[in-house]
Amino acid sequence: MQLKLLNKPATEYGDIIDCVDFYKQPAFDHPLLKNHTFHYGMKPSTPFHVGARDQDSSNFTKPVSIGLKGGGCPIGTVPIRRITKEDLIRERLSSRTMSSDDNTPGAHYAVARTRSGSNKFLGAGAQEISLHNPHASGSQYSAAKIKIQNGPDSIEVGWRDKVNGNRWLLFEEEHIAVGFWPKRIFTGLGDLANSVEWGGEVFSPPGTPKPPMGAGHFAIGSRRVDSFFGPIAVLNEYGQTVDPDNVEEFADNKKLYNVRNKGIEKDFGRVILYGGRGGSTGV
């Protein structure tokens, strides 16, 4: 029954992606969006540009295409990954937490985050996110994420190897709008975010070995081998894109995972590196 509610009737795109009519997407099932006036031609009003790619960056990361084949979905529709029964089971087992300050059994974090009491933010981003494929099985997951938060509200965007105010998710240099969260569905984030994180998150059921994070080893400080975000930036409360210089490192299990705020690299920007081998140490 839940799958029927989540997977709206649509023209199937490939074997896992549906092109759903904009006005029939599951997001509009939210009771606070019942009388919405949103339309598929909407654009963000605040520009957000993160850093400038250095001339040698191609030596560090290879371009990865994440877009849909064949030109994507038709105008007036949105691409939505079809949800499976296994997806629902995995999410319920994982007991996802809302903050890296929580102590949910089985979840671990290695993130760089803005310090408590620092400025408020309209948004956050990174020009590059290195993609890796750490091994995860069963209900485990290993993720790279950017998160903004205020109180109980948070939005996380990133890469998981297990598929699974008005705010926008913008993608690629052209700032293609691929995600939108209207102000009315939030409480804390209906204002400004007061916390931003860049880094990794893993989960494994209590009592089982933890999966690797990122590139599968501790970050040593090199974009050539480490998993990283960079250059990172935040959109401050005045709509200006600035360097988040007041950032602290946090890893809840330093025997398994670490994170490094490398600072500003010349001709690139501020870089956050993270990772870990996982294993059986810890809870």
Side-chain angles (χ1 to χ4, degrees):
M1 180 62 70
Q2 187 173 358
L3 289 174
K4 290 181 179 179
L5 292 174
L6 291 172
N7 293 317
K8 300 296 184 180
T11 301
E12 185 177 352
Y13 187 96
D15 59 347
I16 58 173
I17 299 296
D18 291 325
C19 293
V20 181
D21 183 283
F22 176 88
Y23 299 101
K24 296 180 180 179
Q25 60 180 293
F28 293 145
D29 290 342
H30 194 295
L32 294 180
L33 300 180
K34 182 177 181 180
N35 297 315
H36 74 88
T37 58
F38 306 123
H39 56 89
Y40 59 82
M42 296 166 53
K43 300 292 182 181
S45 59
T46 305
F48 188 19
H49 302 284
V50 184
R53 184 188 300 271
D54 66 336
Q55 297 299 316
D56 298 323
S57 64
S58 59
N59 295 328
F60 297 97
T61 57
K62 297 181 180 180
V64 177
S65 176
I66 308 180
L68 298 177
K69 297 179 180 180
C73 284
I75 295 176
T77 66
V78 292
I80 298 179
R81 180 185 176 275
R82 182 163 295 180
I83 299 173
T84 67
K85 179 180 178 181
E86 289 71 26
D87 292 330
L88 295 178
I89 294 174
R90 184 183 301 117
E91 289 301 316
R92 289 174 178 174
L93 288 174
S94 66
S95 300
R96 294 291 309 276
T97 61
M98 296 301 291
S99 169
S100 55
D101 291 324
D102 294 339
N103 296 313
T104 297
H108 293 287
Y109 309 85
V111 299
R113 62 189 185 186
T114 53
R115 298 179 188 276
S116 176
S118 60
N119 295 333
K120 293 189 176 183
F121 314 100
L122 287 169
Q127 181 172 310
E128 296 183 14
I129 303 177
S130 61
L131 302 184
H132 304 270
N133 190 27
H135 176 73
S137 60
S139 60
Q140 295 179 331
Y141 67 74
S142 184
K145 67 174 185 178
I146 299 175
K147 180 169 77 170
I148 61 172
Q149 182 171 354
N150 189 334
D153 294 342
S154 68
I155 298 174
E156 299 183 19
V157 175
W159 178 265
R160 194 198 291 200
D161 298 308
K162 283 293 184 183
V163 178
N164 68 351
N166 292 343
R167 300 191 176 274
W168 292 83
L169 168 59
L170 306 178
F171 182 64
E172 295 188 341
E173 295 180 1
E174 295 79 11
H175 293 89
I176 302 170
V178 297
F180 174 72
W181 294 265
K183 178 178 180 179
R184 70 184 70 172
I185 67 173
F186 295 115
T187 52
L189 279 178
D191 185 18
L192 299 175
N194 59 15
S195 174
V196 178
E197 294 181 3
W198 299 261
E201 174 185 338
V202 299
F203 172 83
S204 190
T208 64
K210 311 306 174 188
M213 178 186 292
H217 58 258
F218 285 117
I220 63 174
S222 170
R223 283 188 284 136
R224 294 184 183 274
V225 295
D226 294 338
S227 47
F228 72 91
F229 291 81
I232 65 170
V234 293
L235 196 64
N236 67 19
E237 57 188 314
Y238 306 108
Q240 301 167 325
T241 303
V242 297
D243 170 57
D245 56 356
N246 192 16
V247 174
E248 64 181 1
E249 301 170 352
F250 171 80
D252 70 325
N253 190 326
K254 296 181 179 179
K255 294 182 179 179
L256 298 185
Y257 311 105
N258 78 330
V259 60
R260 294 185 62 176
N261 174 13
K262 191 178 180 181
I264 298 178
E265 292 187 3
K266 184 179 180 180
D267 299 323
F268 190 73
R270 185 174 299 276
V271 177
I272 302 300
L273 311 105
Y274 67 98
R277 65 185 185 278
S280 58
T281 303
V283 296

